[in-house]
């Protein structure tokens, strides 16, 4: 067997694999000899079928299978030995139909090679890492929300702007009948809430579903319709009011503190506000870090310049899926995925240069931490090690979950690297100002 490579340019090469008869003949003969022992052909006893007949019936199929196995194995070994960093998979070059009656064979493959480049984390312009703080206004609003959450319901005669309204959404044609409790601030338009103000038990309000909520997932929950049906649903529904209540604020006292955090954990209003501030700012760290990660990713993709074997990759994308794409479709797929591919190469370069690796134990520990947090949300604060191990084992038996958690671990390690080595400046501001600055919203 002989394997040679012709470098077309820095990003493209053609590998030729020459397979001679001596490379496969012994293996083919052995398989056919085994077939002869077990072949069940009418007119012959098992094991007595002439080899000529076995070769005539099975020879070509065995030859093709063994040559293809040898081809795949030798090509993979060559790429590994030569340490070739290829993109996609080798593509067989279009060539004339193979003459399987010949003794020797030659196969050509196109390769797309990964580019050589350097990554510079220290850009001239600093990237902002936001430190989001919970200000007094936010903390006071959260205290009031807590008072409402733990307060008691008091019946009302008519709907007011802050009422909790129980009732039934209906649309007979669509088979919608769903009892819910709503508050007016959830509606997308203030005009919708005004339809309810002053209404009484037994009143029926007619509403249009299109634009009723800002997010169609809220509409899905309100009407109890399927996910796909909720998106873009444009019908009229009625809401018959069955109960109207206001929520009387709970007193900010030790009873409230104990309900929220357990007996004696919080003992004063100042401690309550400090705890709310601490919890809120922990959540803000995740949002701030994700923003930094996104911004540095964008910076790296835009400012790390290198060429890709685009023609090869478009051709590979045509052939990579279950259904072969047209040339135009292959180009479209490449254009959609180019940015992601560039970042994957940059990420791999950064991980190699900075010795960033992950192992299964890290993935498992991350999974256990995630499981523990989820269990805490349902009041299970002290799961045993065995419980965590068993649940983690079930989660990690799913390869998609392993991939997802592995990506989280990599992202965290890269984030730590960016904080240490990238040109990052810290900006402190309230959550309200953060949202306005980053998203242009209030």
């Amino acid at each position: 067997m002989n394997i040679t490579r012709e470098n077309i340019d820095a990003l493209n090469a053609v590998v030729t694999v020459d397979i001679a008869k001596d490379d496969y003949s012994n293996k083919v003969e052995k398989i056919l000899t085994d077939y002869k022992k077990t072949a069940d052909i009418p007119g012959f006893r098992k094991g007595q079928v002439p080899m000529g007949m076995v070769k005539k019936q099975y020879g070509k199929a065995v030859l093709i299978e063994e040559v293809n196995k040898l081809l795949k194995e030798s090509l993979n070994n060559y790429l590994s030995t030569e340490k070739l960093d290829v993109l996609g998979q080798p593509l067989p070059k279009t060539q004339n139909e193979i003459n399987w009656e010949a003794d020797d064979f030659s196969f050509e493959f196109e390769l797309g090679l990964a580019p050589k480049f350097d990554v510079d984390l220290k850009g001239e312009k600093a990237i902002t890492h936001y430190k989001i703080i919970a200000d007094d206004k936010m903390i006071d609003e959260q205290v009031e929300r807590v008072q409402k959450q733990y307060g008691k319901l008091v019946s009302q005669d008519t709907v007011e702007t802050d009422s909790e309204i129980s009732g039934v959404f209906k649309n007979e044609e669509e088979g919608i009948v769903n009892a819910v409790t709503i508050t007016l601030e959830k509606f997308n338009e203030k005009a919708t809430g005004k339809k309810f103000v002053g209404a009484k038990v037994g009143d029926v309000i007619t509403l249009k579903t299109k634009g009723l909520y800002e997010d169609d997932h809220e509409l899905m929950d309100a009407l109890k319709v399927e996910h796909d049906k909720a998106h873009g649903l444009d019908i009229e529904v009625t809401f018959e009011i069955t109960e109207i209540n206001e929520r009387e604020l709970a007193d900010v006292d030790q009873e409230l503190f104990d309900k929220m955090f357990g007996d004696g954990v919080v003992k004063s209003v100042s401690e309550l506000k400090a705890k709310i501030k601490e919890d809120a700012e922990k959540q803000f760290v995740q949002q701030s870090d994700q923003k930094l990660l996104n911004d540095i990713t964008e910076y790296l993709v835009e400012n790390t310049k290198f060429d890709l074997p685009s023609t090869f990759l478009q051709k590979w994308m045509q052939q990579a899926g279950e259904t072969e794409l047209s040339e135009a479709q292959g180009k479209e797929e490449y254009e959609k995925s180019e940015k992601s591919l560039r970042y994957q190469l940059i990420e791999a370069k950064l991980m190699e240069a900075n010795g960033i690796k992950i192992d299964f134990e890290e993935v498992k520990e991350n999974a256990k931490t995630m499981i523990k947090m989820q269990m805490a949300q349902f009041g299970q604060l002290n799961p045993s090690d065995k419980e965590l191990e068993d649940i983690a084992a079930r989660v990690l038996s799913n390869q998609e979950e392993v991939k997802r958690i592995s990506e989280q671990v990599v992202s965290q390690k890269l984030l730590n690297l960016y904080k240490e080595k990238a040109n990052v400046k810290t900006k402190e501001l309230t959550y309200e100002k953060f949202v306005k600055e980053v998203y242009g919203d209030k």
Side-chain angles (χ1 to χ4, degrees):
M1 182 184 300
N2 187 39
I3 303 180
T4 57
R5 181 174 83 249
E6 177 188 359
N7 291 327
I8 307 303
D9 55 38
L11 299 174
N12 295 275
V14 174
V15 168
T16 302
V17 182
D18 294 318
I19 297 178
K21 185 174 183 178
D22 287 346
D23 297 322
Y24 63 81
S25 57
N26 288 343
K27 183 70 173 175
V28 170
E29 284 296 325
K30 181 179 184 309
I31 291 172
L32 291 175
T33 300
D34 291 341
Y35 274 23
K36 182 179 185 299
K37 295 175 184 176
T38 59
D40 189 6
I41 296 177
F44 297 94
R45 285 186 296 168
K46 189 172 288 189
Q48 300 300 314
V49 180
M51 179 57 81
M53 184 169 287
V54 172
K55 287 184 177 181
K56 184 176 181 181
Q57 186 155 345
Y58 301 109
K60 186 174 181 180
V62 171
L63 169 67
I64 292 171
E65 183 177 357
E66 290 308 308
V67 168
N68 279 325
K69 280 183 186 176
L70 185 60
L71 177 62
K72 182 178 180 181
E73 181 182 345
S74 58
L75 184 58
N76 287 339
N77 288 341
Y78 175 81
L79 296 178
S80 176
T81 302
E82 294 293 310
K83 295 181 170 58
L84 289 178
D85 193 0
V86 299
L87 302 179
Q89 296 291 332
L91 288 178
K93 283 194 73 174
T94 304
Q95 54 194 53
N96 295 330
E97 188 174 340
I98 299 169
N99 177 16
W100 292 105
E101 302 299 326
D103 291 334
D104 302 330
F105 307 98
S106 184
F107 303 90
E108 290 184 329
F109 294 87
E110 296 178 65
L111 302 183
L113 305 177
K116 307 293 183 186
F117 61 93
D118 295 314
V119 182
D120 181 15
L121 283 173
K122 289 282 187 184
E124 291 183 12
K125 185 179 179 182
I127 296 173
T128 301
H129 185 211
Y130 294 96
K131 182 180 179 182
I132 308 169
I133 60 171
D135 60 356
D136 291 341
K137 179 186 174 187
M138 170 175 275
I139 293 168
D140 289 341
E141 288 173 348
Q142 181 60 23
V143 170
E144 186 173 331
R145 278 194 288 272
V146 168
Q147 286 180 272
K148 283 186 177 180
Q149 180 184 345
Y150 288 93
K152 63 180 180 181
L153 290 175
V154 178
S155 180
Q156 290 179 299
D157 294 328
T158 59
V159 174
E160 297 178 13
T161 54
D162 60 350
S163 297
E164 292 187 15
I165 311 153
S166 296
V168 181
F169 277 114
K170 289 184 181 179
N171 179 298
E172 290 186 10
E173 291 181 2
E174 298 292 335
I176 295 170
V177 181
N178 190 49
V180 292
T181 297
I182 61 173
T183 53
L184 301 184
E185 80 272 4
K186 290 286 187 180
F187 291 126
N188 192 31
E189 301 288 344
K190 288 183 179 178
T192 305
K194 288 179 180 178
K195 291 184 177 183
F196 285 81
V197 175
K200 299 178 180 180
V201 170
D203 286 353
V204 177
I205 314 294
T206 300
L207 303 166
K208 287 188 175 294
T209 58
K210 187 175 182 180
L212 187 60
Y213 294 98
E214 186 175 352
D215 187 343
D216 283 339
H217 291 93
E218 292 185 77
L219 182 67
M220 180 178 74
D221 291 336
L223 303 184
K224 280 291 179 286
V225 295
E226 293 178 357
H227 180 274
D228 291 345
K229 186 174 182 178
H231 284 278
L233 184 65
D234 188 6
I235 60 173
E236 281 192 348
V237 291
T238 59
F239 185 88
E240 183 177 355
I241 300 173
T242 58
E243 190 176 346
I244 306 167
N245 295 296
E246 67 173 333
R247 192 168 285 272
E248 192 175 86
L249 297 183
D251 291 332
V252 184
D253 56 13
Q254 193 60 48
E255 183 181 355
L256 177 64
F257 304 153
D258 292 346
K259 283 179 181 177
M260 290 178 65
F261 302 108
D263 292 350
V265 175
V266 170
K267 298 178 181 178
S268 67
V269 174
S270 59
E271 286 184 18
L272 170 66
K273 290 185 175 182
K275 191 80 168 68
I276 288 173
K277 181 179 175 68
E278 179 188 356
D279 291 346
E281 289 179 354
K282 279 181 183 177
Q283 294 180 28
F284 294 156
V285 167
Q286 295 178 354
Q287 197 164 351
S288 173
D289 282 353
Q290 188 60 54
K291 172 64 177 165
L292 179 64
L293 191 62
N294 293 345
D295 287 347
I296 293 184
T297 298
E298 191 72 28
Y299 161 79
L300 290 172
V301 171
E302 292 300 321
N303 292 277
T304 307
K305 303 298 183 184
F306 54 83
D307 293 326
L308 290 170
S310 54
T311 302
F312 169 84
L313 289 170
Q314 289 173 39
K315 190 186 297 185
W316 174 69
M317 287 183 179
Q318 282 181 251
Q319 302 178 27
E322 293 183 5
T323 305
E324 187 164 337
L325 304 178
S326 67
E327 185 175 337
Q329 289 172 322
K331 183 178 180 181
E332 183 182 353
E333 282 299 308
Y334 170 74
E335 289 172 350
K336 284 195 293 188
S337 59
E338 181 184 1
K339 194 172 182 179
S340 172
L341 176 57
R342 286 182 178 278
Y343 182 67
Q344 287 174 27
L345 291 169
I346 293 167
E347 182 183 274
K349 175 75 71 172
L350 285 170
M351 291 178 68
E352 181 183 12
N354 293 278
I356 295 175
K357 298 177 181 178
I358 61 169
D359 56 36
F360 187 74
E361 281 303 311
E362 287 179 292
V363 174
K364 186 170 81 170
E365 286 306 310
N366 191 277
K368 287 164 68 175
T369 300
M370 176 190 71
I371 292 162
K372 196 171 182 179
M373 289 170 62
Q374 291 174 343
M375 293 177 76
Q377 292 175 1
F378 295 95
Q380 296 175 267
L381 301 178
N382 294 300
S384 68
D385 288 340
K386 185 177 186 310
E387 279 182 292
L388 290 174
E389 286 284 344
D390 290 346
I391 297 172
R394 289 199 297 273
V395 169
L396 297 177
S397 66
N398 182 329
Q399 288 304 307
E400 286 298 315
E401 282 297 306
V402 173
K403 180 182 176 185
R404 184 180 66 81
I405 297 170
S406 298
E407 288 172 351
Q408 289 177 348
V409 175
V410 168
S411 290
Q412 186 58 52
K413 291 193 173 192
L414 287 171
L415 180 64
N416 294 339
L417 173 70
Y418 297 156
K419 287 180 179 179
E420 178 187 351
K421 295 188 176 182
N423 186 3
V424 174
K425 65 178 181 181
T426 301
K427 183 174 182 178
E428 186 174 295
L429 74 181
T430 66
Y431 182 74
E432 186 177 1
K433 288 182 178 177
F434 168 77
V435 171
K436 192 170 184 178
E437 181 168 320
V438 172
Y439 304 108
D441 262 326
K442 293 182 180 180

